[in-house]
Amino acid sequence: MKLDYRREIDGLRAVAVLPVILFHAGLSSFSGGFVGVDVFFVISGYLITTIVFGELEEGKFSLVRFYERRARRILPALFVVTVATAAAAWFILLPEDLKELGKSLLAVALFASNFLFWNESGYFDTSAEYLPLLHTWSLAVEEQYYMLFPLLAAALFRRGRQAVVVGLCVVALGSFALAQWGATAHPNAAFYLLPFRAWELMVGALAAVYLSRASLHPSRADRFSGVLAGVGLVMIALSIHLYDRATPFPGVYALLPALGAVLIILFARPHNLVGQLLGTQVLVYIGLLSYSAYLWHQPLFALARRASLEEPHIGVFLALSVATFVLAYFTRHLVEQPFRSASKVSRRSIFMGSGATAALVVMLAFVLYGNKGFPERIDNYAKVVDTFRWQDLAKPCGSEPALPTGVQALCRLPEAAAPGPVDVALFGDSHADAFLPAVVAATKQRDSSPAYIGLGGCIPLIGVDVRAGNWPAEVCRTLAQEQYNFAVRTKPKNVLLVGRWSMYIDRVDSASSAKKYYLVEAESNTLSKDHSREVFVRGLERTVRAYEALGAKVFFVEQVPQQLADPRAVFHRINQRGLWGQEGATEVIDRNSVPLASLNERQAPMRQLLDQLPPIDDFTVLSPEKHFCGENRCAMGDKDGPYYHDRDHLNIRGAQYIGPWLVTQLAEAEKAQ
């Protein structure tokens, strides 16, 4: 098994890297461009297997030499881009983001980026677009593969060719089964971790084993090679254009690009059309630049997004894509090629230099993280941060109400929790917690007492539990019952139900999150959003009638407008540009606030369910959007500060802003009684 240079493989690298870059640039026609990484995995499996088994057959395989070649190929350019990213981030990132970059730097140095992002960010989450080193997850997967595969290859080789084929097939099939299961059960793990990705590397490895015996049926392979290579190219193209962020991935959907790459590796040759296409000078040269281009594109895109008050125009990303290849050109010629030459850089130098650079990156990571991103770099930073402060009106409830597994809810209860004193009882999830300052302000104007019991991720519907959410089974159902028991004891005049309703009945914004927030009434219930909607309607009617039977007026508060842009980033940039309190800030805020049309689209599923409720006396639906939204947009704040803690929770100022509106709603309900 010998590795001969094949121009079409470099062309295939171009086919892999270009869609990845254009996907991150936001081009809709490349909505599945992330599959380029899968093509890279297949290529790596093919090349590494050819090298390792070729040297094993010749009896000259050396683990040290193998790791030396990998270090020369990967580490110099990686460290150059990593250090350059950290330097640019110093001038662009906010302290909390620079602190988080410290964790990414540590993960890069330890070949563990995939583990970091598995724990912290789904690849398709909107927030992931702002992570400068997100793309290093795939390098970590390959680095982990390099550590393990030579040991597996040597063990299989000693047992003969049949053991090699069987062993690779067993690993591939086991990994594929794991990936198919994980794509829906544990999507973050399935996307980022080697056990779920190994099958793609293994199909490349099997292609290498097959080609090592290409003398089998040469005429048949030659006869259909052009067609099969063309089918492979079409398969990759279809996955690039048909897949998107909602595609369950990897698993069966990853077969299309992975097997497409295998067909090209097996059958693209200089004498057929696909081989000639991939062997063109332009694609080959892009392929030669592909590693450095892959390294540069994400830092450029992410830092551009961080530096801008709005999502940069597509033209900016296209310009950055060109800049990516300019930087890749210099990186290849000034970094990659010199370090790959043993005559210019010795083995000792590459190992010692890589170790020393990794140690420096680790030190830098600890400095950035330990100093909290150096907030002193930015004027008035602490003042701006304080505007996003979470309310501290609620405290852990203690032993009452008692919840399973020792979970504590949050409470704000009047000193005399007896019939009479409670005017407004607020029940709900973290949105209710954020809403509490509005209730406190409203009841203060009414010279009355509020009460609050809630827990993030728990819907306040009697008889309803939340599964695949924040808490173990029965926590949320028990809490809803305890909220009702409190109302039985205190007989509140008004009950406010507040929640992030869309999360339970429509979708979770983090598409790859393992948390799905399904609603159930019984252990045997199906975990699906369709069933959750049915449970929601029954649970809401049951809850409203139960509180009404206690003499309370029940208010269902629609969730506040969820912002698309990050209010923290917007207001920090306003501060950095000296616009705080100025009219110029109003224009920036308006451009970044969520369009009313987007809000209505998000609210539509919940409103359709509310329409299914039968008429119920003393039940009112309140819509805070009327207080936040103008003709076209729903404000995330004004020139004097934000209304939000994050994209969907109000801060103290935002909650107090709607306090007078809540007073009016309660008063109107009393008049209508």
Side-chain angles (χ1 to χ4, degrees):
M1 189 181 295
K2 183 180 177 183
L3 182 62
D4 296 319
Y5 177 69
R6 296 176 57 188
R7 290 176 60 85
E8 59 271 17
I9 298 300
D10 277 327
L12 183 57
R13 284 192 173 110
V15 171
V17 77
L18 288 171
V20 173
I21 293 172
L22 296 176
F23 166 73
H24 285 138
L27 269 69
S28 58
S29 55
F30 290 84
S31 59
F34 55 87
V35 303
V37 173
D38 303 79
V39 176
F40 276 128
F41 285 155
V42 175
I43 294 173
S44 290
Y46 161 70
L47 294 175
I48 296 304
T49 301
T50 304
I51 292 170
V52 171
F53 280 104
E55 293 185 352
L56 284 169
E57 289 173 352
E58 295 174 3
K60 62 178 185 180
F61 176 73
S62 165
L63 201 58
V64 173
R65 187 167 60 248
F66 174 81
Y67 290 144
E68 176 194 349
R69 285 197 299 261
R70 294 301 90 205
R72 290 181 183 278
R73 175 76 175 94
I74 293 173
L75 298 184
L78 173 62
F79 285 142
V80 165
V81 174
T82 299
V83 172
T85 299
W90 175 269
F91 299 100
I92 295 174
L93 295 188
L94 297 172
E96 59 264 34
D97 300 321
L98 191 60
K99 176 184 174 183
E100 290 301 304
L101 180 66
K103 293 197 291 188
S104 295
L105 293 174
L106 179 63
V108 168
L110 299 179
F111 308 148
S113 294
N114 56 336
F115 288 101
L116 173 68
F117 296 122
W118 164 44
N119 282 311
E120 296 197 347
S121 177
Y123 185 79
F124 301 112
D125 293 355
T126 302
S127 59
E129 297 176 345
Y130 296 90
L131 300 175
L133 297 177
L134 172 70
H135 61 321
T136 59
W137 76 269
S138 65
L139 302 182
V141 169
E142 293 211 24
E143 288 156 351
Q144 292 154 20
Y145 162 69
Y146 298 151
M147 296 296 290
L148 298 174
F149 182 74
L151 305 177
L152 173 65
L156 293 174
F157 181 78
R158 286 194 294 269
R159 289 164 174 78
R161 174 179 169 80
Q162 185 175 2
V164 169
V165 174
V166 171
L168 295 180
C169 286
V170 168
V171 174
L173 292 173
S175 173
F176 178 75
L178 194 63
Q180 177 61 19
W181 168 75
T184 53
H186 297 283
N188 272 9
F191 194 91
Y192 285 121
L193 301 186
L194 176 61
F196 301 87
R197 291 290 192 163
W199 69 271
E200 295 176 299
L201 294 152
M202 291 302 100
V203 295
L206 288 166
V209 173
Y210 173 82
L211 288 175
S212 71
R213 299 293 185 270
S215 57
L216 297 175
H217 310 297
S219 60
R220 184 182 302 174
D222 187 65
R223 186 184 311 163
F224 296 104
S225 63
V227 174
L228 291 171
V231 170
L233 194 60
V234 169
M235 290 170 70
I236 294 174
L238 286 174
S239 62
I240 290 169
H241 293 290
L242 297 180
Y243 292 178
D244 58 26
R245 294 172 184 268
T247 303
F249 209 82
V252 67
Y253 286 95
L255 284 172
L256 200 60
L259 295 184
V262 168
L263 288 175
I264 290 173
I265 290 171
L266 291 177
F267 300 111
R269 291 293 184 272
H271 66 266
N272 60 45
L273 183 60
V274 173
Q276 292 167 4
L277 174 64
L278 295 178
T280 57
Q281 189 171 352
V282 171
L283 286 182
V284 168
Y285 196 70
I286 291 174
L288 292 172
L289 297 179
S290 62
Y291 176 57
S292 288
Y294 182 78
L295 289 178
W296 280 111
H297 85 282
Q298 179 64 14
L300 291 177
F301 291 175
L303 292 176
R305 286 184 167 103
R306 287 295 189 191
S308 178
L309 279 168
E310 301 91 28
E311 175 73 1
H313 187 271
I314 190 63
V316 173
F317 288 116
L318 292 177
L320 289 174
S321 299
V322 174
T324 291
F325 282 97
V326 173
L327 290 169
Y329 171 84
F330 288 108
T331 305
R332 171 172 168 75
H333 290 283
L334 300 180
V335 180
E336 285 191 66
Q337 288 183 325
F339 278 94
R340 293 177 71 175
S341 171
S343 62
K344 295 180 180 179
V345 183
S346 67
R347 174 184 293 176
R348 176 183 173 85
S349 296
I350 195 69
F351 281 141
M352 291 188 66
S354 297
T357 306
L360 289 173
V361 172
V362 169
M363 289 175 58
L364 179 59
F366 278 106
V367 168
L368 294 180
Y369 192 84
N371 288 278
K372 300 180 179 179
F374 293 92
E376 60 272 15
R377 294 177 299 127
I378 300 175
D379 293 337
N380 300 318
Y381 175 75
K383 177 182 175 182
V384 177
V385 168
D386 189 63
T387 65
F388 291 97
R389 182 165 45 88
W390 190 262
Q391 61 85 10
D392 57 0
L393 299 173
K395 305 295 181 186
C397 300
S399 59
E400 291 292 337
L403 300 179
T405 69
V407 176
Q408 286 197 45
L410 293 174
C411 290
R412 180 183 172 90
L413 304 176
E415 293 183 6
V422 177
D423 178 19
V424 178
L426 171 65
F427 302 139
D429 56 18
S430 59
H431 275 220
D433 198 22
F435 199 76
L436 182 54
V439 176
V440 171
T443 52
K444 188 174 293 186
Q445 289 190 42
R446 292 163 60 87
D447 194 26
S448 60
S449 297
Y452 164 64
I453 303 175
L455 183 63
C458 278
I459 197 167
L461 302 184
I462 298 170
V464 175
D465 198 26
V466 180
R467 298 295 169 88
N470 295 357
W471 309 107
E474 297 305 319
V475 167
C476 294
R477 193 200 312 270
T478 302
L479 178 62
Q481 186 61 46
E482 290 292 335
Q483 290 165 341
Y484 174 73
N485 293 343
F486 174 82
V488 170
R489 294 194 302 271
T490 59
K491 299 296 191 295
K493 299 175 184 176
N494 304 284
V495 171
L496 267 62
L497 304 177
V498 178
R500 189 180 180 185
W501 309 113
S502 65
M503 184 172 73
Y504 306 103
I505 55 92
D506 183 22
R507 66 186 188 272
V508 181
D509 292 310
S510 174
S512 59
S513 172
K515 297 178 180 179
K516 299 300 183 184
Y517 301 96
Y518 298 117
L519 303 183
V520 300
E521 292 170 304
E523 192 69 33
S524 59
N525 283 174
T526 302
L527 297 184
S528 71
K529 288 302 181 183
D530 286 339
H531 185 71
S532 293
R533 287 188 275 272
E534 297 173 9
V535 172
F536 175 84
V537 174
R538 291 194 297 267
L540 180 57
E541 181 180 0
R542 180 190 310 120
T543 301
V544 173
R545 294 195 185 281
Y547 286 124
E548 275 194 333
L550 300 178
K553 291 185 289 296
V554 182
F555 297 86
F556 178 93
V557 183
E558 293 185 348
Q559 67 193 60
V560 295
Q562 179 164 322
Q563 299 297 328
L564 300 178
D566 182 2
R568 290 175 179 259
V570 172
F571 279 90
H572 276 296
R573 296 302 177 203
I574 286 173
N575 170 60
Q576 288 178 288
R577 298 189 183 187
L579 296 176
W580 198 279
Q582 307 297 317
E583 287 304 319
T586 303
E587 181 182 347
V588 171
I589 293 165
D590 184 63
R591 287 202 307 268
N592 284 277
S593 294
V594 61
L596 184 59
S598 297
L599 173 69
N600 287 334
E601 181 181 354
R602 176 178 292 275
Q603 301 280 50
M606 181 266 299
R607 289 170 176 166
Q608 290 169 4
L609 297 182
L610 291 176
D611 289 340
Q612 296 179 25
L613 289 172
I616 307 174
D617 295 334
D618 290 329
F619 174 61
T620 305
V621 176
L622 301 181
S623 180
E625 75 177 57
K626 296 175 182 177
H627 207 60
F628 287 100
C629 302
E631 184 176 344
N632 298 311
R633 292 183 179 269
C634 303
M636 65 169 63
D638 59 25
K639 62 185 178 64
D640 296 315
Y643 297 145
Y644 284 77
H645 170 76
D646 52 26
R647 283 184 172 89
D648 58 277
H649 294 91
L650 296 177
N651 63 2
I652 297 174
R653 187 169 183 263
Q656 291 174 339
Y657 173 65
I658 60 173
W661 165 82
L662 182 58
V663 171
T664 301
Q665 302 304 312
L666 294 173
E668 289 180 355
E670 288 177 347
K671 290 178 183 177
Q673 192 171 14

